[in-house]
Amino acid sequence: MTLHHNLIAGEWVGSNGVENINPSNTNEIVGLYATASADDAKTAIAAAKAAFPAWSRSGILERHAILKKTADEILARKEELGNLLAREEGKTLPEAIGETIRSAQIFDFFAGEALRLAGEVLPSVRPNIGVEITREPIGVIGIITPWNFPIAIPAWKIAPALCHGNTIVFKPAELVPGCSWAIVDILHRAGLPKGVLNLVMGKGSVVGQAMLDSPDLAGITFTGSTGTGKRVAAASIEHNRKFQLEMGGKNPMVVLDDADLTVAVEAAANSGFFSTGQRCTASSRLIVTEGIHDRFVAALTEKLKTLVVDDALKAGTHIGPVVDERQLATDTDYIAIGKKEGAKLAFGGETIERENPGFYLQPTLFTEATNQMRISREEIFGPVASVIRVKDYEEALSVANDTPFGLSAGIATTSLKHATHFKRNSEAGMVTAGVDFHVPFGGRKASSFGSREQGKYAAEFFTVVKTAYTLA
């Protein structure tokens, strides 16, 4: 089997390959991927540092051409790359192809942004003095990405970093090296100079730690667990570097008595259980008012009965496998916790077998949950959601905001008054029915720290503002 190497200083290097296992069929090895050492990470950082002066002053047409060529190739290969994503992460094939298309759109957006880099020219309060405000790249960026969106999240970090003239050391999640390797390969062949983008696949405790310990990283952008995010923050403060954290969520979806029941059920099923519930924006707390509660629970339960859990590549599959054995154990542990806490298991909760060995779990719905239960406070990151019964809109809003997290929130209602009030008073970074690629992404409280990702707002992290005065 071909060994996929790390990319350091423009050269494909490495050995000690690790098998990438398909969670839909654990008998299948998706690929063999090299493991970087701490010394490899240090070499990659040095290469990125050496490449920064030239790349930071590169022409906007050069950046545009590379990003545009990358977008075009990803889009042209969407079925192939989507198949790879589905096999290594477990998303259904339609979801995987959709994520691949989104990554192409992100590169295309930032290809355009490269041609729109701008500053300001302002008059001074003093005579005969001009003021120029510009944005400059900050230096070497460390990028650390999770396993749940293995092509989209790397795209929305790598594309703006390159667009704004930074160089990169990129460490993807160990579970999903395939999509990351493919993106780096495409960018490399698109014409990136040596050292501008470096790929170091491997263990977080080794490669990630070497990145955290380096004084030569000007910034780290991280998406992953809250615990690791705190370590990134502490290490970054030590080195006085910029850091950007996207972490957990325990997102509420409020369903009011006046909601369209069909719409509410479809939204809850999609958000809570599709992508196997393995997304930080999943609506895992369903906060439902009394008048519609029983009808909503009955309809959602019937909906869950129709969802097919099977191999991610099979036509007709709605929910693929959990990503690996460890995450499956976490999910089943939380299901046991929910039962012990007194929540009612309304549907699912069992591991299941399919034609091939894999990590399959029924979508799981708890009812009669309270907002104080662990299953309502802690992120499970699986196809598990809890219904919390409330009296009215005011209690629903209070319960929705009563969480240490603040990533996303949603509401199902036909009342413009309540929808408008919820948008303004929800303590979340996004009040959402989706996540578009050209608008800011990020949360509040323990969900996020630092400036927003995606769209024009990405410039806040990947650049530093300079103010220059000129005496006429």
Side-chain angles (χ1 to χ4, degrees):
M1 184 172 289
T2 301
L3 176 64
H4 296 79
H5 296 93
N6 289 300
L7 182 67
I8 300 176
E11 302 295 331
W12 295 104
V13 298
S15 56
N16 303 320
V18 173
E19 295 176 346
N20 186 6
I21 303 298
N22 181 351
S24 290
N25 179 3
T26 55
N27 290 328
E28 182 194 7
I29 300 171
V30 178
L32 199 61
Y33 293 84
T35 300
S37 65
D39 285 340
D40 290 331
K42 293 174 184 176
T43 302
I45 293 168
K49 185 177 180 180
F52 177 72
W55 180 249
S56 64
R57 292 168 176 79
S58 60
I60 59 174
L61 278 177
E62 180 183 4
R63 299 183 205 175
H64 166 81
I66 291 170
L67 294 172
K68 178 62 175 166
K69 190 173 182 180
T70 298
D72 291 344
E73 181 170 341
I74 292 173
L75 192 60
R77 295 171 58 191
K78 62 182 184 293
E79 284 86 4
E80 172 201 344
L81 295 174
N83 182 283
L84 171 62
L85 196 164
R87 288 165 61 220
E88 75 170 351
E89 195 271 346
K91 274 190 177 71
T92 65
L93 186 57
E95 288 177 320
I97 292 174
E99 182 182 332
T100 303
I101 292 170
R102 179 178 172 182
S103 71
Q105 292 168 332
I106 291 166
F107 277 104
D108 186 64
F109 176 87
F110 283 105
E113 284 295 278
L115 300 179
R116 292 188 288 265
L117 298 179
E120 298 177 81
V121 177
L122 300 175
S124 172
V125 297
R126 295 166 291 167
N128 301 320
I129 292 178
V131 181
E132 183 182 72
I133 302 170
T134 56
R135 288 189 174 273
E136 298 183 353
I138 65 172
V140 180
I141 304 289
I143 294 178
I144 301 175
T145 58
W147 50 259
N148 61 325
F149 282 87
I151 196 165
I153 292 180
W156 83 45
K157 294 179 186 292
I158 292 171
L162 295 175
C163 168
H164 290 288
N166 299 280
T167 55
I168 296 169
V169 178
F170 170 37
K171 195 207 90 64
E174 297 168 62
L175 282 175
V176 289
C179 288
S180 294
W181 188 93
I183 283 184
V184 171
D185 174 59
I186 292 169
L187 282 161
H188 178 62
R189 289 185 290 99
L192 273 182
K194 291 183 178 182
V196 171
L197 174 61
N198 302 272
L199 173 67
V200 280
M201 301 176 288
K203 292 183 177 295
S205 58
V206 177
V207 178
Q209 191 60 51
M211 293 169 69
L212 296 186
D213 291 342
S214 174
D216 291 326
L217 290 185
I220 291 184
T221 174
F222 166 83
T223 300
S225 70
T226 301
T228 303
K230 290 179 179 179
R231 290 179 55 206
V232 172
S236 297
I237 290 170
E238 176 71 21
H239 293 293
N240 198 31
R241 72 164 69 98
K242 291 180 80 171
F243 59 97
Q244 179 184 57
L245 309 177
E246 290 297 339
M247 299 173 286
K250 196 66 182 176
N251 309 296
M253 177 181 169
V254 170
V255 181
L256 299 185
D257 287 352
D258 63 1
D260 181 310
L261 184 62
T262 301
V263 171
V265 167
E266 287 295 322
N270 187 301
S271 180
F273 303 100
F274 282 42
S275 296
T276 323
Q278 296 175 154
R279 49 189 175 191
C280 54
T281 55
S283 296
S284 54
R285 289 188 300 142
L286 305 173
I287 302 167
V288 186
T289 50
E290 289 179 332
I292 199 173
H293 177 277
D294 292 351
R295 288 183 292 130
F296 174 81
V297 169
L300 180 57
T301 301
E302 289 303 311
K303 174 68 177 179
L304 295 182
K305 290 178 181 177
T306 69
L307 299 182
V308 177
V309 180
D310 209 330
D311 191 306
L313 296 180
K314 270 191 178 181
T317 296
H318 298 109
I319 299 174
V322 175
V323 70
D324 73 346
E325 187 173 19
R326 185 169 63 175
Q327 184 61 49
L328 180 61
T330 297
D331 295 346
T332 54
D333 285 349
Y334 270 107
I335 292 169
I337 289 167
K339 293 177 182 177
K340 186 175 181 180
E341 288 181 312
K344 178 184 175 182
L345 183 61
F347 183 81
E350 300 292 332
T351 57
I352 51 181
E353 294 184 359
R354 289 296 180 255
E355 180 181 354
N356 294 313
F359 307 114
Y360 296 105
L361 177 66
Q362 290 177 311
T364 303
L365 182 68
F366 281 104
T367 59
E368 306 306 325
T370 71
N371 205 46
Q372 285 68 48
M373 292 178 176
R374 286 182 62 189
I375 58 171
S376 302
R377 308 298 294 178
E378 300 171 11
E379 186 175 42
I380 299 172
F381 223 65
V384 183
S386 304
V387 179
I388 301 170
R389 186 196 301 259
V390 294
K391 180 176 64 175
D392 52 24
Y393 169 72
E394 286 71 24
E395 185 181 2
L397 177 63
S398 176
V399 171
N401 287 336
D402 180 15
T403 173
F405 299 104
L407 183 55
S408 67
I411 186 168
T413 179
T414 54
S415 165
L416 180 60
K417 172 186 173 182
H418 285 138
T420 301
H421 188 274
F422 187 80
K423 285 191 293 182
R424 292 176 178 170
N425 292 277
S426 171
E427 296 173 1
M430 300 179 292
V431 182
T432 176
V435 183
D436 289 351
F437 65 86
H438 67 303
V439 298
F441 178 95
R444 297 162 62 172
K445 302 181 184 178
S447 288
S448 304
F449 183 89
S451 50
R452 292 289 189 256
E453 298 193 272
Q454 296 196 141
K456 291 181 179 294
Y457 283 77
E460 296 295 330
F461 179 75
F462 291 104
T463 64
V464 61
V465 172
K466 176 183 282 185
T467 305
Y469 295 85
T470 304
L471 177 62

